[in-house]
């Protein structure tokens, strides 16, 4: 097994790159999906979140209101730290279990983890950073996700800096161009990983 970390700031296109690696045969361990699964209605993680942030973060169907949580944590560093203390231990256990399921295979396992710079992991054979100018990321978040510009900037500011992410990179994928350029760069990195 080759264990590869994949990260990038919000609006960088990391999810697109992750999907491209899956198309090329990688096993994807998706930290965001794991977080969603752990925050399912009635789950211990969701109960703990409601105890900390208030019952209004749960909608009428018992599901997490992600926008309500985002409104709290992306403007309050202490609240974000509290959220991480609730979610991260359970996430760590599930991520480890999914990686270990492939330990004895010859597969490329990509840990798709937005917060890799903030929460480094040992044992990675490579770390890929999807990089884009923060102004491009803001424009994408506004145009494609419908965020207000101030909200987009607050979310970017709450994450590791671009410099901090680039510092941990063994491979950088520049996503400031079009999809064809991105796909070509993913092909290059995939070929480099195959040489490991």
């Amino acid at each position: 097994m080759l264990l590869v970390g994949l990260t990038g700031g919000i609006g960088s296109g990391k999810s697109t790159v992750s999907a491209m690696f899956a198309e090329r045969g990688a096993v994807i361990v998706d930290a965001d999906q794991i977080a969603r699964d752990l925050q399912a209605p009635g789950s211990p993680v969701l109960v703990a979140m409601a105890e900390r942030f208030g019952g209004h973060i749960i909608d009428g169907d018992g599901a997490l209101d992600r926008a309500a949580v985002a409104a709290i944590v992306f403007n309050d560093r202490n609240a974000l730290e509290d959220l991480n203390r609730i979610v991260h231990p359970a996430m760590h256990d599930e991520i480890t279990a999914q990686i270990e399921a492939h330990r004895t295979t010859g597969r490329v396992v990509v840990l798709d983890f937005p917060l890799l710079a903030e929460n480094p992991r040992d044992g990675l054979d490579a770390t890929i950073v999807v990089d884009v100018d923060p102004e491009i990321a803001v424009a994408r978040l506004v145009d494609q996700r419908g965020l207000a510009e101030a909200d987009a900037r607050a979310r970017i500011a709450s994450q590791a800096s671009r410099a901090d992410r680039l510092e941990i990179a063994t491979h950088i994928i520049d996503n400031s161009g079009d999809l064809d350029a991105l796909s070509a760069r993913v092909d290059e990195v995939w070929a480099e990983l195959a040489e490991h």
Side-chain angles (χ1 to χ4, degrees), residues 21 50-51 70 79 129:
F21 279 122
E51 288 172 358
V129 172

mmCIF file of all heavy atoms in Angstrom, residues 21 50-51 70 79 129:
data_model
loop_
_atom_site.group_PDB
_atom_site.id
_atom_site.type_symbol
_atom_site.label_atom_id
_atom_site.label_comp_id
_atom_site.label_asym_id
_atom_site.label_seq_id
_atom_site.Cartn_x
_atom_site.Cartn_y
_atom_site.Cartn_z
ATOM 1 N N PHE A 21 -8.173 11.084 -8.987
ATOM 2 C CA PHE A 21 -7.343 9.976 -8.504
ATOM 3 C C PHE A 21 -8.165 8.689 -8.403
ATOM 4 O O PHE A 21 -7.664 7.607 -8.730
ATOM 5 C CB PHE A 21 -6.692 10.314 -7.168
ATOM 6 C CG PHE A 21 -5.462 11.157 -7.288
ATOM 7 C CD1 PHE A 21 -5.382 12.387 -6.662
ATOM 8 C CD2 PHE A 21 -4.372 10.735 -8.034
ATOM 9 C CE1 PHE A 21 -4.247 13.178 -6.779
ATOM 10 C CE2 PHE A 21 -3.231 11.518 -8.164
ATOM 11 C CZ PHE A 21 -3.175 12.746 -7.533
ATOM 12 N N ALA A 50 -24.540 19.013 19.798
ATOM 13 C CA ALA A 50 -25.738 19.752 20.226
ATOM 14 C C ALA A 50 -25.607 20.212 21.676
ATOM 15 O O ALA A 50 -26.055 21.311 22.024
ATOM 16 C CB ALA A 50 -26.983 18.885 20.044
ATOM 17 N N GLU A 51 -24.979 19.371 22.502
ATOM 18 C CA GLU A 51 -24.772 19.778 23.897
ATOM 19 C C GLU A 51 -23.869 20.999 23.979
ATOM 20 O O GLU A 51 -24.068 21.880 24.803
ATOM 21 C CB GLU A 51 -24.164 18.623 24.701
ATOM 22 C CG GLU A 51 -25.154 17.507 24.971
ATOM 23 C CD GLU A 51 -24.511 16.269 25.600
ATOM 24 O OE1 GLU A 51 -23.267 16.271 25.801
ATOM 25 O OE2 GLU A 51 -25.250 15.314 25.885
ATOM 26 N N ALA A 70 -21.465 26.059 10.831
ATOM 27 C CA ALA A 70 -20.470 26.884 10.140
ATOM 28 C C ALA A 70 -20.554 28.336 10.598
ATOM 29 O O ALA A 70 -19.522 28.989 10.808
ATOM 30 C CB ALA A 70 -20.663 26.789 8.632
ATOM 31 N N ALA A 79 -14.743 28.128 19.426
ATOM 32 C CA ALA A 79 -15.823 27.207 19.042
ATOM 33 C C ALA A 79 -15.300 26.166 18.058
ATOM 34 O O ALA A 79 -15.641 24.974 18.149
ATOM 35 C CB ALA A 79 -16.994 27.983 18.435
ATOM 36 N N VAL A 129 -0.597 18.621 -2.312
ATOM 37 C CA VAL A 129 -1.336 19.836 -1.997
ATOM 38 C C VAL A 129 -1.916 20.391 -3.294
ATOM 39 O O VAL A 129 -1.178 20.619 -4.259
ATOM 40 C CB VAL A 129 -0.435 20.887 -1.311
ATOM 41 C CG1 VAL A 129 -1.175 22.219 -1.162
ATOM 42 C CG2 VAL A 129 0.033 20.375 0.050
#
